[in-house]
Amino acid sequence: MKKGFTMIELLAVVLILAVLTAIALPQYRRSLERTRVAEALQLLPAIYDARERLVTENDWTWYGGSTPAVSFAKLDIDMKGRQSSGVMLDTGNFLYQLVERCAGRTCVVDEPWVSGTLQKGTYKGTTIYYKGGAFLCCPNAAPSDSCSRLNLTQGEC
């Protein structure tokens, strides 16, 4: 009597593994995207609040003339990442901005949003804006379901 597996048994195991992988990989990717977005959902309110504290304590305006009065270096929170300028912070997953442009035009001074733009993954280029309790999502392309898949409200971009 020979010991071992037949070719049919091995093919059945490979087929089962292939089906399980085909089901698991898309779920894993969605989970990874939600994890990346969780970073922004935690950091954006912290950045916004730290900026508001700094502006209030120093009696500054949100936008001081031609250069921003507020920068990441002046905020009272410790954030890991690389500052590409005083108002931009790159964490690898997101590029956070204190002074951003909204849909190609400068944002209104009375509406000081902070933003994070996703730099990796399926929804790369999607921007999340935050202003005191409200999140807005702007997808990287016009017909995109990225905001709904990330459980965020899509705004006018």
Side-chain angles (χ1 to χ4, degrees), residues 84-102:
S84 53
S85 74
V87 295
M88 298 173 96
L89 180 77
D90 184 356
T91 62
N93 287 331
F94 277 89
L95 178 65
Y96 295 98
Q97 296 183 44
L98 295 172
V99 178
E100 77 287 325
R101 294 193 171 281
C102 299

Side-chain angles (χ1 to χ4, degrees), residues 1 4-5 7 11-12 20-21 29 32 35 39 41 48 60 71 75 79 93 97 107 111 118 128 130 138 145:
M1 182 167 194
F5 298 105
M7 185 63 116
L11 285 175
L20 290 174
T21 303
R29 286 189 183 125
L32 194 59
T35 302
E39 172 191 313
L41 297 181
Y48 182 87
W60 289 345
S71 69
L75 297 181
M79 294 181 39
N93 287 331
Q97 296 183 44
C107 290
E111 297 185 15
L118 192 57
I128 301 170
Y130 179 79
C138 292
D145 64 344

Side-chain angles (χ1 to χ4, degrees), residues 134-155:
F135 286 99
L136 281 180
C137 176
C138 292
N140 56 347
S144 176
D145 64 344
S146 60
C147 295
S148 62
R149 290 201 178 243
L150 298 172
N151 297 327
L152 294 168
T153 304
Q154 184 169 336

